Amino acid sequence: MKGDEPMPTPIYYHFKQRFNVPARKAFEWCTTYTPGDHALMGAKDAGRKIEHITDRTIILTDTFSIGADNQIEKQKLVQIYPDILFWTNTHINGPAIHSQFIYQITAETDNISNLDFRGLFLDYGDKKISESDTAKLVEETCKEDARAWKLLAKAMEQDIC
């Protein structure tokens, strides 16, 4: 980062999502990326390109339409650790560059599992924001991602059960 650019505001947040499917099946479903993933999360004008670097390393290129002629592209490096039902997603390009998200699936019972989600979203806004505005952004960001995972949980259960 150059000296004249403002420092990003770090937004740390965490939530859990329950899945009514076994942990291993939930992990495999979550880490099998498809071009239709954004539709499952409620995003209408979004696309996804998937590039497998290795069997456990993937680059996702997501494109979002914002308005008539504007698009945002985000590139994400995903590293998958199947032996511990864990993966990371790090933005390597786009407006949230260097943001990182950590996912862990744990078994609650033989047929119920949980996603433990931890996020670091780096907000590169033009100005420094207050602590109260940061708290609001944390709440909004967490609520938005948790909403998307509720939709994904529903789609997963329909696919698996």
Side-chain angles (χ1 to χ4, degrees):
M1 180 169 273
K2 298 177 185 170
D4 57 343
E5 294 177 9
M7 293 290 289
T9 301
I11 307 299
Y12 295 97
Y13 60 106
H14 170 255
F15 62 85
K16 290 187 182 246
Q17 174 62 53
R18 185 178 201 186
F19 301 131
N20 293 316
V21 298
R24 173 63 58 188
K25 286 186 177 191
F27 173 80
E28 289 169 357
W29 190 92
C30 288
T31 56
T32 301
Y33 296 95
T34 71
D37 290 341
H38 290 291
L40 297 176
M41 293 183 275
K44 298 194 187 302
D45 295 324
R48 170 166 279 173
K49 179 182 158 201
I50 301 136
E51 181 183 355
H52 290 268
I53 305 301
T54 71
D55 62 332
R56 298 181 349 172
T57 305
I58 300 167
I59 293 181
L60 303 174
T61 303
D62 294 336
T63 307
F64 303 89
S65 295
I66 53 167
D69 297 325
N70 289 332
Q71 284 194 333
I72 292 176
E73 184 175 280
K74 298 177 183 180
Q75 270 195 323
K76 304 164 185 177
L77 176 67
V78 175
Q79 185 61 46
I80 301 171
Y81 301 89
D83 51 325
I84 56 172
L85 307 182
F86 177 91
W87 71 104
T88 63
N89 175 329
T90 305
H91 288 233
I92 58 175
N93 195 359
I97 191 168
H98 305 127
S99 296
Q100 187 171 58
F101 306 93
I102 299 170
Y103 310 81
Q104 175 88 52
I105 303 284
T106 56
E108 186 174 317
T109 68
D110 286 348
N111 293 311
I112 297 173
S113 56
N114 293 288
L115 168 69
D116 185 14
F117 175 98
R118 295 189 179 274
L120 163 61
F121 172 75
L122 295 172
D123 183 306
Y124 288 90
D126 293 336
K127 59 183 180 182
K128 186 161 175 58
I129 61 175
S130 69
E131 280 188 38
S132 64
D133 286 344
T134 299
K136 287 178 192 170
L137 191 53
V138 167
E139 185 179 336
E140 290 169 9
T141 304
C142 186
K143 189 181 221 180
E144 183 179 322
D145 281 358
R147 180 198 61 78
W149 275 99
K150 282 183 187 351
L151 293 172
L152 289 170
K154 186 177 180 180
M156 176 193 304
E157 289 167 15
Q158 289 174 346
D159 283 352
I160 295 175
C161 297

